Coordinates of all heavy atoms in Angstrom, one line a residue:
E350 N -27.5 -36.0 11.6 CA -26.7 -34.8 11.5 C -27.2 -33.7 12.5 O -28.4 -33.6 12.7 CB -26.6 -34.3 10.1 CG -27.9 -33.8 9.5 CD -27.7 -33.1 8.2 OE1 -26.9 -32.1 8.1 OE2 -28.4 -33.5 7.2
V351 N -26.3 -32.9 12.9 CA -26.6 -31.7 13.7 C -27.0 -30.6 12.6 O -26.2 -30.3 11.7 CB -25.4 -31.2 14.5 CG1 -25.8 -29.8 15.2 CG2 -25.1 -32.2 15.6
L352 N -28.2 -30.1 12.8 CA -28.7 -29.2 11.8 C -28.1 -27.8 11.9 O -28.0 -27.3 13.0 CB -30.2 -29.1 11.8 CG -31.0 -30.4 11.5 CD1 -32.5 -30.2 11.8 CD2 -30.7 -30.8 10.0
R353 N -27.7 -27.2 10.8 CA -27.3 -25.8 10.8 C -28.2 -25.1 9.8 O -28.7 -25.7 8.9 CB -25.8 -25.7 10.3 CG -24.8 -26.3 11.3 CD -24.6 -25.4 12.5 NE -23.7 -25.9 13.5 CZ -24.1 -26.6 14.5 NH1 -25.3 -26.8 14.8 NH2 -23.2 -27.0 15.4
T354 N -28.3 -23.8 9.9 CA -29.0 -23.0 9.0 C -28.6 -23.3 7.6 O -27.4 -23.3 7.2 CB -28.9 -21.5 9.3 OG1 -29.5 -21.2 10.5 CG2 -29.5 -20.6 8.2
G355 N -29.6 -23.6 6.7 CA -29.3 -24.0 5.3 C -29.3 -25.5 5.1 O -29.4 -25.9 4.0
A356 N -29.3 -26.3 6.2 CA -29.3 -27.7 6.0 C -30.7 -28.1 5.5 O -31.7 -27.5 5.8 CB -29.1 -28.4 7.4
R357 N -30.7 -29.2 4.6 CA -31.9 -29.6 4.0 C -32.0 -31.1 4.0 O -31.1 -31.8 4.1 CB -32.0 -29.0 2.5 CG -31.4 -29.9 1.5 CD -29.9 -29.8 1.4 NE -29.3 -30.6 0.4 CZ -28.1 -31.2 0.4 NH1 -27.4 -31.1 1.5 NH2 -27.6 -31.9 -0.6
F358 N -33.3 -31.5 3.9 CA -33.5 -33.0 3.8 C -34.9 -33.1 3.1 O -35.7 -32.2 3.0 CB -33.5 -33.7 5.1 CG -34.6 -33.4 6.1 CD1 -35.8 -34.1 6.1 CD2 -34.5 -32.3 6.9 CE1 -36.8 -33.8 7.0 CE2 -35.5 -32.0 7.8 CZ -36.7 -32.7 7.9
T359 N -35.0 -34.3 2.5 CA -36.3 -34.6 1.7 C -37.0 -35.7 2.5 O -36.4 -36.6 3.1 CB -36.0 -35.1 0.3 OG1 -35.2 -36.2 0.3 CG2 -35.3 -34.0 -0.5
A360 N -38.4 -35.6 2.4 CA -39.2 -36.6 3.0 C -40.4 -36.8 2.0 O -41.2 -35.9 1.9 CB -39.8 -36.2 4.3
G361 N -40.3 -37.9 1.2 CA -41.3 -38.1 0.2 C -41.2 -37.0 -0.9 O -40.0 -36.7 -1.3
P362 N -42.3 -36.3 -1.2 CA -42.2 -35.2 -2.2 C -41.7 -33.9 -1.6 O -41.6 -32.9 -2.3 CB -43.6 -35.1 -2.7 CG -44.5 -35.5 -1.5 CD -43.7 -36.6 -0.8
W363 N -41.5 -33.8 -0.3 CA -41.2 -32.6 0.3 C -39.7 -32.4 0.4 O -38.9 -33.3 0.8 CB -41.8 -32.6 1.8 CG -43.3 -32.7 1.8 CD1 -44.0 -33.9 1.7 CD2 -44.2 -31.7 1.8 NE1 -45.3 -33.6 1.8 CE2 -45.5 -32.2 1.8 CE3 -44.1 -30.3 1.9 CZ2 -46.7 -31.5 1.9 CZ3 -45.3 -29.5 2.0 CH2 -46.5 -30.1 2.0
R364 N -39.3 -31.1 0.2 CA -37.9 -30.7 0.4 C -37.9 -29.6 1.5 O -38.5 -28.6 1.3 CB -37.2 -30.2 -0.9 CG -35.8 -29.8 -0.7 CD -35.1 -29.4 -2.0 NE -35.0 -30.5 -2.9 CZ -34.0 -31.4 -2.9 NH1 -33.0 -31.2 -2.1 NH2 -34.0 -32.4 -3.8
L365 N -37.3 -29.9 2.6 CA -37.3 -29.0 3.8 C -36.0 -28.4 4.1 O -34.9 -29.0 3.9 CB -37.8 -29.7 5.0 CG -39.2 -30.4 4.9 CD1 -39.5 -31.3 6.0 CD2 -40.3 -29.3 4.8
V366 N -36.0 -27.1 4.4 CA -34.8 -26.4 4.8 C -34.9 -25.9 6.2 O -35.9 -25.4 6.6 CB -34.6 -25.2 3.8 CG1 -33.3 -24.5 4.2 CG2 -34.5 -25.6 2.4
Y367 N -33.8 -26.1 7.0 CA -33.7 -25.7 8.4 C -33.1 -24.4 8.5 O -32.1 -24.0 7.9 CB -32.9 -26.8 9.2 CG -32.7 -26.4 10.6 CD1 -33.6 -26.6 11.6 CD2 -31.4 -25.8 11.0 CE1 -33.4 -26.3 12.9 CE2 -31.2 -25.5 12.3 CZ -32.2 -25.7 13.3 OH -31.9 -25.4 14.6
T368 N -33.7 -23.5 9.4 CA -33.0 -22.2 9.7 C -33.3 -21.9 11.1 O -34.3 -22.2 11.7 CB -33.6 -21.1 8.8 OG1 -32.9 -19.9 9.0 CG2 -35.1 -20.9 9.0
R369 N -32.3 -21.2 11.7 CA -32.4 -20.7 13.1 C -31.5 -19.6 13.3 O -30.6 -19.3 12.5 CB -32.1 -21.8 14.1 CG -30.6 -22.1 14.3 CD -30.3 -23.1 15.4 NE -30.7 -22.6 16.7 CZ -30.4 -23.3 17.9 NH1 -29.7 -24.5 17.8 NH2 -30.7 -22.8 19.0
D370 N -31.7 -18.8 14.4 CA -30.8 -17.7 14.7 C -29.7 -18.4 15.5 O -29.9 -18.7 16.7 CB -31.6 -16.7 15.6 CG -30.9 -15.4 15.6 OD1 -29.8 -15.2 14.9 OD2 -31.4 -14.4 16.2
E371 N -28.5 -18.5 14.9 CA -27.5 -19.3 15.5 C -26.7 -18.5 16.5 O -26.6 -17.3 16.4 CB -26.5 -19.8 14.4 CG -27.2 -20.5 13.3 CD -27.3 -22.0 13.6 OE1 -27.1 -22.4 14.7 OE2 -27.7 -22.7 12.6
F372 N -26.0 -19.2 17.5 CA -25.0 -18.6 18.3 C -23.7 -18.7 17.7 O -23.4 -19.5 16.8 CB -25.0 -19.3 19.7 CG -26.1 -18.8 20.6 CD1 -27.3 -19.4 20.7 CD2 -25.8 -17.7 21.4 CE1 -28.3 -18.9 21.5 CE2 -26.8 -17.2 22.3 CZ -28.0 -17.8 22.3
A373 N -22.8 -17.9 18.1 CA -21.5 -17.8 17.5 C -20.7 -19.1 17.5 O -19.9 -19.4 16.7 CB -20.6 -16.7 18.1
D374 N -20.9 -19.9 18.6 CA -20.1 -21.1 18.7 C -20.8 -22.3 17.9 O -20.4 -23.4 18.0 CB -20.0 -21.5 20.2 CG -21.3 -21.7 20.9 OD1 -22.3 -21.5 20.3 OD2 -21.2 -22.1 22.1
H375 N -21.8 -22.0 17.1 CA -22.4 -23.0 16.3 C -21.6 -23.2 15.0 O -21.9 -24.1 14.2 CB -23.8 -22.6 15.9 CG -24.8 -23.1 17.0 ND1 -26.1 -22.5 17.1 CD2 -24.7 -24.0 18.0 CE1 -26.7 -23.1 18.1 NE2 -25.9 -23.9 18.6
G376 N -20.5 -22.5 14.8 CA -19.6 -22.7 13.7 C -19.9 -22.0 12.4 O -20.9 -21.4 12.2
R377 N -18.9 -22.0 11.5 CA -19.0 -21.3 10.3 C -19.7 -22.2 9.2 O -19.7 -23.4 9.3 CB -17.5 -21.1 9.8 CG -16.7 -20.2 10.7 CD -15.3 -20.1 10.3 NE -15.2 -19.4 9.0 CZ -14.1 -19.2 8.4 NH1 -12.9 -19.6 8.9 NH2 -14.1 -18.5 7.2
P378 N -20.4 -21.5 8.2 CA -20.4 -20.1 8.0 C -21.6 -19.4 8.7 O -21.9 -18.3 8.5 CB -20.6 -20.0 6.5 CG -21.4 -21.2 6.2 CD -21.0 -22.2 7.1
Y379 N -22.4 -20.2 9.5 CA -23.7 -19.7 10.0 C -23.6 -19.3 11.5 O -24.6 -18.8 12.0 CB -24.7 -20.8 9.9 CG -24.9 -21.3 8.5 CD1 -24.6 -22.7 8.2 CD2 -25.2 -20.5 7.5 CE1 -24.7 -23.1 6.9 CE2 -25.4 -20.9 6.2 CZ -25.1 -22.3 5.9 OH -25.2 -22.7 4.7
G380 N -22.4 -19.5 12.1 CA -22.4 -19.2 13.5 C -22.6 -17.8 13.9 O -21.9 -16.9 13.6
G381 N -23.7 -17.6 14.6 CA -23.9 -16.4 15.4 C -24.0 -15.1 14.7 O -23.7 -15.0 13.5
R382 N -24.6 -14.1 15.4 CA -24.7 -12.8 14.9 C -23.5 -12.0 15.4 O -23.4 -10.8 15.1 CB -26.0 -12.2 15.4 CG -27.2 -12.9 14.9 CD -27.1 -13.0 13.4 NE -28.3 -13.6 12.8 CZ -28.4 -14.0 11.5 NH1 -27.4 -13.9 10.7 NH2 -29.6 -14.6 11.1
S383 N -22.6 -12.6 16.1 CA -21.3 -12.0 16.5 C -20.3 -13.1 16.6 O -20.4 -13.9 17.5 CB -21.5 -11.2 17.9 OG -20.2 -10.7 18.3
G384 N -19.4 -13.1 15.7 CA -18.4 -14.1 15.7 C -18.5 -15.2 14.6 O -17.7 -16.1 14.5
G385 N -19.5 -15.0 13.8 CA -19.6 -15.9 12.6 C -18.7 -15.5 11.5 O -17.9 -14.6 11.6
E386 N -18.9 -16.1 10.3 CA -18.0 -15.9 9.2 C -18.2 -14.5 8.6 O -17.3 -13.8 8.2 CB -18.2 -16.9 8.1 CG -17.3 -16.7 6.9 CD -17.5 -17.8 5.9 OE1 -18.1 -18.9 6.2 OE2 -17.2 -17.6 4.7
G387 N -19.5 -14.1 8.5 CA -19.8 -12.8 7.8 C -19.7 -11.6 8.6 O -19.7 -11.6 9.9
A388 N -19.5 -10.5 8.0 CA -19.5 -9.2 8.6 C -21.0 -8.7 8.7 O -21.9 -9.4 8.3 CB -18.7 -8.2 7.8
H389 N -21.2 -7.5 9.2 CA -22.5 -6.9 9.3 C -23.5 -7.8 10.1 O -24.6 -8.0 9.6 CB -23.0 -6.6 7.9 CG -22.1 -5.7 7.1 ND1 -21.8 -4.4 7.5 CD2 -21.4 -6.0 6.0 CE1 -21.0 -3.9 6.6 NE2 -20.7 -4.8 5.7
Q390 N -23.1 -8.4 11.2 CA -24.0 -9.2 12.0 C -24.4 -8.5 13.2 O -23.7 -7.8 13.9 CB -23.3 -10.5 12.4 CG -22.7 -11.3 11.2 CD -23.8 -12.0 10.4 OE1 -25.0 -11.8 10.7 NE2 -23.5 -12.7 9.4
R391 N -25.7 -8.7 13.5 CA -26.2 -8.0 14.7 C -25.6 -8.7 16.0 O -25.4 -9.9 16.0 CB -27.7 -8.0 14.8 CG -28.4 -9.4 14.8 CD -29.9 -9.2 14.8 NE -30.6 -10.5 14.9 CZ -30.9 -11.3 13.9 NH1 -30.6 -10.9 12.7 NH2 -31.5 -12.4 14.1
P392 N -25.4 -7.9 17.1 CA -24.8 -8.6 18.3 C -25.8 -9.4 19.0 O -27.0 -9.3 18.8 CB -24.4 -7.3 19.1 CG -25.4 -6.3 18.7 CD -25.6 -6.5 17.2
Q393 N -25.3 -10.3 19.8 CA -26.1 -11.2 20.5 C -25.6 -11.3 22.0 O -24.4 -11.1 22.2 CB -26.2 -12.6 19.9 CG -24.8 -13.3 19.8 CD -24.9 -14.8 19.4 OE1 -25.2 -15.6 20.3 NE2 -24.7 -15.0 18.2
P394 N -26.4 -11.7 22.9 CA -26.0 -11.9 24.3 C -25.2 -13.2 24.4 O -25.2 -14.0 23.5 CB -27.3 -12.0 25.1 CG -28.3 -12.5 24.1 CD -27.9 -11.9 22.8
P395 N -24.5 -13.4 25.5 CA -23.8 -14.6 25.7 C -24.7 -15.8 25.7 O -25.9 -15.7 26.1 CB -23.1 -14.5 27.1 CG -23.1 -13.0 27.3 CD -24.2 -12.4 26.6
R396 N -24.3 -16.9 25.2 CA -25.1 -18.1 25.1 C -25.5 -18.6 26.5 O -24.7 -18.8 27.4 CB -24.4 -19.2 24.4 CG -25.2 -20.5 24.2 CD -24.5 -21.4 23.2 NE -25.2 -22.7 23.2 CZ -25.0 -23.6 22.2 NH1 -24.1 -23.3 21.3 NH2 -25.6 -24.7 22.2
P397 N -26.8 -18.8 26.8 CA -27.2 -19.3 28.1 C -26.8 -20.7 28.4 O -26.4 -21.5 27.4 CB -28.8 -19.3 28.0 CG -29.1 -18.4 26.9 CD -28.0 -18.6 25.9
D398 N -26.8 -21.1 29.6 CA -26.5 -22.5 30.0 C -27.7 -23.4 29.7 O -28.6 -23.6 30.6 CB -26.1 -22.6 31.5 CG -25.7 -24.0 31.9 OD1 -25.7 -24.9 31.0 OD2 -25.4 -24.2 33.1

Side-chain angles (χ1 to χ4, degrees):
E350 63 173 303
V351 174
L352 296 173
R353 293 283 180 265
T354 291
R357 86 285 183 212
F358 66 95
T359 60
W363 299 84
R364 182 176 294 274
L365 300 168
V366 181
Y367 173 81
T368 184
R369 77 176 295 186
D370 199 2
E371 306 273 10
F372 276 92
D374 58 356
H375 276 160
R377 299 174 64 181
Y379 305 117
R382 298 307 184 187
S383 175
E386 181 178 341
H389 304 293
Q390 302 289 2
R391 63 182 182 272
Q393 61 170 280
R396 181 172 174 164
D398 182 3

